[in-house]
Amino acid sequence: MQETSSVNSPGASDIYSERVLVLDFGSQYAQLIARRVREQHVYCEIVRHDITAERVAELAPKGIILSGGPSSVYEPDAPKCDPGIFDLDIPVLGICYGMQLMCDRFGGSVRNASAREYGHAHIKITDPTDLLAGLPDETDVWMSHGDQVEQISGLFRPLASTRTCPVAAMRHVDRKQFGIQFHPEVTHTPLGSQILRNFVISICGCEGTWKLGDFARETIARIREEVGTSRVICGLSGGVDSSVVAALLYRAIGDQLSCILVDNGLLRKDEEAAVIAEFSSHFKTDLHVVNARERFLKKLEGISDPQEKRKRIGYEFIECFKEEAAKIEDAKFLAQGTLYPDVIESGAAVDGPAAVIKLHHNVGGLPAELGFDLVEPLRDLFKDEVRKLGIELGLPEDIVWRHPFPGPGLAVRCLGEVTEEKLAVLREADAIVVNEIKSAGLYRQTSQTFAVLLPVQSVGVMGDARTYDNAVCVRCVDTDDFMTATWSDLPYEVLARISTRIINEVKGVNRVCYDISTKPPATIEWE
């Protein structure tokens, strides 16, 4: 199977003509930095920390950002960047570890701080120009460091300080090279976007060419050129990624698009009907619906291990997809909803970090023996950009803003063995949770909301009779990036309505709990 690659050569397109590179030193915020830069309408991509200066020069970025990271620069095996990068006459911004790296490179000193700073801090700005232009004399920032700059060389001058950190920001006296000890990319630094804007727009000279409307037009033109008169197959799940891919393809090639929806019996309530209605009436695509409920449930009989569930569901999905795809004549291409975080975390980016965080289901997820060339029109986009693109393409808001749904479906929210009876209970409970969150006007304010059917039963009393029925747990989280998440502080009256409705309306449930675990240490899904 052949993959279509991201645009990795400078000048390939106007929207990519301005780019900023983030050198990743293992920061949990690397993707967030890139997203914040893109909010300034400047294309930003994450590359490995040891990328060569020669390769950087080839990519011709307008600016370079050195990310934070968990290491200490004075350790023997601490990750370092190619020192030649500082001699490329390209503006550089070092964040936290990145700042310490710059300081170490130019003869300053970094030490383990006696007073570490984690969380909110208050900085005093002594030089409100360039990087810190437009900021008040004092402002709040978010710190997360155990090391700090002890002394800077004569090549740098300080720009700001905190009570315990004498150099909270600095700049090179001759070059456009800056360092900040705090994190401007997180929302806990209220004026962080202004700082990044100062760097990207004012210092790097970017004009803001990265616009999703232009991305849509250029991607549509590229798909038409690549596909020609061939047919493209797109797998639908009802989620935002596959829906946006299908909408983009439909704009590009019209009736050359064939969509396949595999009903594995693990979908949410009325999900199959909603997808069929949307993609057979609104888009009028060639839609193939595979009813595979029985074969999936058969494969899951007696299986309670979460990983084994996922493996069996994944394998059976591929078999179903292969069988249906073989019925579609002249199909040469397969479209997938691969996103930029998928590419980064799977190690599939050409210049990206080498470490594989996860074997993602979207990146090369379908086997090569399917015999299709791969089309991945979203592989340069973050999730929030995909949603905005969906709006640009005219998709309904209820699809664009739909909460994420796991690939294995309700199987990983039905703990223990999966049966038709248990799925029916879970499906009804989940629909009530989502309905009440929407009715309260909280659906867009929360990031993911669902019900989990627990593998336990408890004693209850209903109508003066003793019951011994199922327990349902409600999970609702808030997150910017799904790498970390906090549980949603839902109003008590909303939780009360959810609990009352589930117990009264879903036969077989007599207890409802609310999950107040953060990620980490918990995950968002239960399995």
Side-chain angles (χ1 to χ4, degrees), residues 57-96:
E58 288 176 15
L59 293 171
K62 291 282 191 175
I64 298 169
I65 298 178
L66 310 179
S67 83
S71 302
S72 295
V73 294
Y74 46 78
E75 293 174 347
D77 57 348
K80 303 288 178 70
C81 64
D82 185 338
I85 285 174
F86 296 107
D87 299 321
L88 291 176
D89 195 28
I90 299 172
V92 179
L93 172 62
I95 296 175
C96 198

Side-chain angles (χ1 to χ4, degrees), residues 413-427:
R413 295 176 180 175
C414 182
L415 275 59
E417 183 182 2
V418 178
T419 66
E420 185 61 66
E421 294 74 23
K422 291 168 70 175
L423 287 170
V425 171
L426 176 56
R427 201 170 276 118

Side-chain angles (χ1 to χ4, degrees), residues 254-452:
D255 59 9
Q256 292 171 237
L257 172 66
S258 292
C259 294
I260 297 177
L261 170 63
V262 177
D263 183 358
N264 56 13
L266 306 171
L267 303 177
R268 289 169 283 200
K269 185 177 181 180
D270 300 329
E271 187 153 34
E272 179 186 353
V275 173
I276 292 173
E278 185 62 39
F279 285 91
S280 59
S281 58
H282 185 73
F283 290 105
K284 295 181 173 58
T285 58
D286 174 37
L287 179 61
H288 299 244
V289 180
V290 182
N291 187 342
R293 300 175 190 178
E294 290 186 11
R295 60 190 285 182
F296 273 85
L297 287 175
K298 185 72 175 174
K299 288 289 184 182
L300 292 171
E301 280 184 5
I303 305 301
S304 58
D305 178 73
Q307 285 301 94
E308 185 62 25
K309 284 185 193 178
R310 288 177 177 271
K311 288 179 182 178
R312 292 186 176 221
I313 292 167
Y315 176 82
E316 201 61 29
F317 174 81
I318 289 171
E319 290 303 303
C320 287
F321 200 93
K322 283 169 63 177
E323 292 169 14
E324 193 63 30
K327 302 175 185 177
I328 301 173
E329 295 183 2
D330 302 322
K332 183 182 178 183
F333 294 90
L334 174 66
Q336 289 194 155
T338 307
L339 304 189
Y340 189 51
D342 304 336
V343 176
I344 293 298
E345 293 173 5
S346 66
V350 175
D351 297 301
V356 175
I357 299 173
K358 60 183 177 182
L359 295 174
H360 201 279
H361 65 280
N362 271 344
V363 183
L366 291 172
E369 58 264 26
L370 281 176
F372 297 111
D373 291 340
L374 200 58
V375 177
E376 297 177 306
L378 307 182
R379 66 181 282 129
D380 284 336
L381 303 185
F382 287 104
K383 189 77 170 189
D384 55 324
E385 293 175 315
V386 173
R387 294 190 193 280
K388 293 173 185 175
L389 179 59
I391 296 296
E392 288 271 354
L393 294 170
L395 281 174
E397 288 204 2
D398 61 336
I399 289 182
V400 172
W401 292 104
R402 195 171 200 189
H403 286 183
F405 189 58
L410 294 179
V412 293
R413 295 176 180 175
C414 182
L415 275 59
E417 183 182 2
V418 178
T419 66
E420 185 61 66
E421 294 74 23
K422 291 168 70 175
L423 287 170
V425 171
L426 176 56
R427 201 170 276 118
E428 294 298 323
D430 184 74
I432 289 172
V433 172
V434 174
N435 178 264
E436 287 298 331
I437 293 296
K438 286 182 175 179
S439 297
L442 298 172
Y443 193 74
R444 288 277 294 272
Q445 297 177 33
T446 54
S447 303
Q448 197 164 348
T449 302
F450 56 92
V452 179

